[in-house]
Amino acid sequence: MGDVAGIVWLVGAGPGDPKLLTLRGRECIERAEVVVYDRLVSPALLQYASQDAELIYVGKAVGREAMTQVEINALLRQFSLRGKKVCRLKGGDPFVFGRGGEEAEVLADVGVPFEIVPGVTSVTAAPAGAGIPVTDRRIASSFAAVTGHGMDDTDKVQWDALATAVDTIVVLMGVENLSKIAAAIMDGGRSPDTPAAVVHWGATPRQKTLAGTLSTIAEKVHSVGLNAPAVFVVGDVVNLRAKLQWIEEKPLFGTRVLVTRAESQAEDLAGKLEAVGAEAVRLPLIKTVPPENPKPLDEAVGRACCGGC
């Protein structure tokens, strides 16, 4: 697709590891005049944006938000109707609990062209990072992904029906209501001894995983103060983690390293650190720029050259 005036790319940024961004997603960031990004988007992805691009943070967290969804919708509509190329950068996949459908509908209503760029969803990526496959032909041939954001009268998840309908249950945005969710699944007929795990910041160097059972997992999470973002996994596949965990086995896992090299040099070192499990924080403190007046430098070089000939 060539450049189109006034378009919005709804881009899935993946689960947090910047290297899990798709190639198409990177292209959209690079071409955008405006980048509207969420809280769970890795800051490292913003390096792909043009220096002239406007970066707008619209992140949400439990109990606070930089901008309401109505305001975000209005922002996308405003910029796109002005002919801007907008990259709406969202954690995970825009159509998996990402409100991408709502934002695309707003654009469709005013006739703004848009493109959906799928991303790696934390539904599968977070468990995978913890060594938990959501399916395994020996023990799990089905899985369901649900949101645990609401556990009041507005909750639309039929926990009693879901409890035994699939082999693996993956709950996003449920850590705040973990004890209620676990109780609802047990009330629906799932055994209290069913293996369960919570993966915090899954598929990133900040990952932390707690495993237990449906009856014990909430207390374990509460005891260490684990909070969002986290994915809750229920099912026999959790037992495979004992053999398949891999991120936590990397030699520098759990280590944070500040990379202060020049931006042009930082990526190579950061990549090597991340390959062995470290969290590389890029903070370039060195920048090479041409002098405002090159004449004194040219003269000094000329004298040094003549003196050494």
Side-chain angles (χ1 to χ4, degrees):
M1 177 188 295
D3 285 339
V4 179
I7 186 171
V8 177
W9 296 294
L10 297 165
V11 177
D17 182 344
K19 292 185 178 179
L20 292 180
L21 176 73
T22 65
L23 292 175
R24 179 58 180 158
R26 176 171 174 170
E27 288 177 353
C28 294
I29 298 173
E30 292 173 337
R31 291 166 54 189
E33 297 169 282
V34 181
V35 179
V36 180
Y37 65 101
D38 283 343
R39 181 175 72 95
L40 298 182
V41 170
S42 171
L45 297 183
L46 300 179
Q47 69 178 319
Y48 300 132
S50 164
Q51 290 187 346
D52 299 324
E54 184 173 354
L55 307 180
I56 302 176
Y57 175 71
V58 296
K60 298 183 181 70
V62 177
R64 65 184 188 278
E65 54 188 20
M67 195 175 290
T68 68
Q69 187 61 51
V70 172
E71 291 171 330
I72 294 171
N73 294 346
L75 192 70
L76 298 178
R77 184 169 56 240
Q78 168 193 335
F79 278 115
S80 57
L81 288 176
R82 285 167 48 191
K84 296 290 187 179
K85 299 179 181 66
V86 182
C87 177
R88 174 67 175 107
L89 199 55
K90 309 168 78 68
D93 182 279
F95 272 14
V96 181
F97 305 121
R99 300 190 180 184
E102 297 174 41
E103 294 175 359
E105 190 172 7
V106 167
L107 299 170
D109 286 343
V110 294
V112 170
F114 61 87
E115 177 184 340
I116 310 301
V117 181
V120 178
T121 173
S122 57
V123 169
T124 53
I132 303 172
V134 294
T135 64
D136 184 287
R137 66 176 185 168
R138 298 164 295 181
I139 53 177
S141 59
S142 60
F143 77 96
V146 297
T147 173
H149 187 63
M151 282 294 290
D152 51 24
D153 293 338
T154 65
D155 188 12
K156 297 179 181 179
V157 178
Q158 298 179 358
W159 296 102
D160 55 342
L162 178 66
T164 58
V166 294
D167 297 308
T168 307
I169 303 172
V170 182
V171 185
L172 273 63
M173 298 173 287
V175 70
E176 297 293 326
N177 295 309
L178 188 58
S179 59
K180 293 181 180 179
I181 294 171
I185 295 175
M186 288 186 286
D187 289 344
R190 201 68 172 248
S191 168
D193 296 326
T194 302
V198 170
V199 187
H200 174 68
W201 280 112
T204 75
R206 300 168 63 183
Q207 177 176 295
K208 185 177 181 64
T209 307
L210 290 178
T213 66
L214 262 178
S215 61
T216 65
I217 192 64
E219 180 56 36
K220 284 191 172 187
V221 169
H222 177 73
S223 66
V224 299
L226 211 62
N227 52 21
V231 173
F232 179 35
V233 188
V234 178
D236 290 339
V237 289
V238 172
N239 285 336
L240 296 175
R241 168 176 161 74
K243 287 185 177 180
L244 302 184
Q245 57 181 306
W246 59 282
I247 286 183
E248 292 97 328
E249 300 301 312
K250 292 185 176 184
L252 291 186
F253 176 76
T255 303
R256 178 178 291 186
V257 180
L258 189 63
V259 180
T260 60
R261 303 183 75 173
E263 189 172 356
S264 60
Q265 301 172 325
E267 200 56 37
D268 181 59
L269 176 60
K272 292 177 180 178
L273 289 168
E274 289 166 345
V276 290
E279 179 183 2
V281 180
R282 297 158 177 82
L283 184 64
L285 297 179
I286 302 172
K287 186 176 183 180
T288 304
V289 296
E292 293 183 3
N293 181 7
K295 186 176 180 180
L297 181 61
D298 291 340
E299 292 176 348
V301 171
R303 286 195 298 271
C305 180
C306 292
C309 291

